[in-house]
Structure formats: structure tokens, C-alpha cells
Amino acid sequence: MSALLIGLIIYHFLHEQFEFSKITRLGYWIIPIFTLYQFGRTFTWSPINGLVLLIIIGFATWIGHYQARHTKIRLEETATTFFRDSEQHEIPIYRKVITAQGGRPYLLGWLMTLGAQFIIEITYLHEHLSWTKINQEFFQEVLADLITFYRFSASGRHTSWTLWALTGGTSLAYTLWLAHRSPAAKQTLFGETMHHHISSEHVD
């Protein structure tokens, strides 16, 4: 892959973090479900594994809270169709969409998670990380964040339960903290039926 194409993909990834994107149940739940399933398949109990898991859970909870606390959430109303009243006036019908923008704090949390992954690989998995391998894993995580199903196709490169726990834990924590912080986001993420008016909600 050419350096220009890699640079464009990374630029697009960075740009995406500062754009408002639609919150969907599939988009926010598919990664934690898949990665935690892989964690369950690969985890074996031992005192040291239990201790490492507790550390990962604590770190993931903190990262998810930090990212969600600084995420901007807004309710967008877009006219997708209309009907005509008795006087033949066009009355627009608005579609409500909940969107979120992670921004710089989300990027920082993402980088800290990637850094934690490298620390686990060096200290716990005793892997040798060359500069080439670090760049490769960085780019793979960029692709996995941009293209959800890339994480499924590249799942074979992760064999340790620690990396599945880290990815699944941070993703799940972010989703749950986002739902806790915003009733509108909670409605979308959990498919709840809300009968009160939420269009006045504004969360910075």
C-alpha cells in the first residue's frame, strides 16, 4: 500500500473524529459483543490472569468514561418527506437522528488504549515490537475503527484474551457511559420507547 494512500486513510480517520456521526445500535454494540465473545473463548482463569483482567477493566472503564464525558451529542431533525394539508400546503415530516462527535478527547483515549495494547504485548505477552510492527498495528487499528467489519476479517491477528478484553472493555464502557450521560443516546442504544419530548436536549 502506498504511503500516499496510507496518509489519506489516516487523515480521513482523524477528520472523522471531528464530524458528527449517527448513533446506531448496530454500530455501537457490534464491536463490544464480538470482542467480548472472543474474550470469553480465549480467557483461562488463573490468579495472575484475574489480576490482569481487573487492571484492564479498571483502565477500560476510565477510558470509556473520559471519552463519553467529552463527547458532544446533539439531536438533528431532518425533513425527509412531507404531506399536504387540506389547503394543499406542504407540511414537512421530520426525522430525528441522534449524532455524536468524539473530537480530541476521543482521539486521546484511542491513543492511550493503543499504548496500553503495546504495553500488554511487551510486558505480558513478551512480544518484540519493532518500529515497523508498531506502525502496522497503528494502521490496522485505524482501519478497524473506520471499517467495523475489518476487525472481523482481521480477528486472527489477535490471539490473546488480554487484547480482546482491552478492545471490548473500552468499547463497552464508552457505549454504556454515553447512554448514561444522554437520555436520547440511551433511547437509541437500547431501543427504548420514550414518550416525552427530547428535542430540547443539548449536551456539550
Side-chain angles (χ1 to χ4, degrees):
M1 189 176 295
S2 68
L4 177 60
L5 181 58
I6 291 174
L8 288 174
I9 292 174
I10 293 175
Y11 171 79
H12 179 63
F13 166 72
L14 296 174
H15 180 72
E16 281 289 300
Q17 310 315 313
F18 295 91
E19 294 292 319
F20 279 90
S21 58
K22 182 180 177 181
I23 296 177
T24 64
R25 267 190 292 174
L26 178 63
Y28 276 70
W29 284 113
I30 193 169
I31 292 301
I33 289 174
F34 171 73
T35 51
L36 292 177
Y37 167 75
Q38 294 284 33
F39 159 75
R41 289 179 61 249
T42 54
F43 179 75
T44 54
W45 168 255
S46 72
I48 185 63
N49 284 358
L51 177 61
V52 172
L53 179 59
L54 285 177
I55 294 173
I56 290 176
I57 291 174
F59 175 80
T61 302
W62 177 75
I63 287 291
H65 179 264
Y66 171 76
Q67 290 177 315
R69 183 164 60 92
H70 295 284
T71 294
K72 296 179 180 179
I73 304 169
R74 71 184 184 188
L75 176 63
E76 300 179 10
E77 296 182 339
T78 304
T80 57
T81 186
F82 66 90
F83 68 93
R84 297 182 186 276
D85 62 11
S86 58
E87 298 178 355
Q88 297 302 304
H89 294 148
E90 293 184 358
I91 309 298
I93 299 176
Y94 290 94
R95 179 170 176 263
K96 296 179 180 180
V97 177
I98 310 300
T99 60
Q101 179 201 69
R104 189 174 299 172
Y106 182 89
L107 274 176
L108 182 57
W110 185 88
L111 287 172
M112 286 189 289
T113 302
L114 186 61
Q117 176 179 320
F118 292 148
I119 291 173
I120 289 172
E121 290 178 349
I122 294 171
T123 60
Y124 186 76
L125 302 179
H126 306 292
E127 295 184 6
H128 173 69
L129 292 183
S130 63
W131 182 246
T132 300
K133 184 173 175 59
I134 289 174
N135 286 333
Q136 182 182 24
E137 292 198 16
F138 171 81
F139 185 65
Q140 286 174 336
E141 288 301 317
V142 167
L143 286 178
D145 199 275
L146 282 175
I147 309 170
T148 299
F149 289 98
Y150 177 81
R151 191 174 297 278
F152 303 152
S153 64
S155 62
R157 64 189 175 87
H158 280 178
T159 57
S160 173
W161 66 265
T162 54
L163 302 184
W164 290 121
L166 180 64
T167 303
T170 52
S171 181
L172 178 63
Y174 177 68
T175 298
L176 293 178
W177 280 116
L178 210 60
H180 174 74
R181 180 167 171 253
S182 165
K186 183 179 180 181
Q187 175 193 9
T188 301
L189 293 170
F190 287 92
E192 296 178 352
T193 300
M194 297 178 68
H195 301 287
H196 61 277
H197 188 58
I198 64 172
S199 61
S200 61
E201 176 179 280
H202 179 72
V203 182
D204 292 321

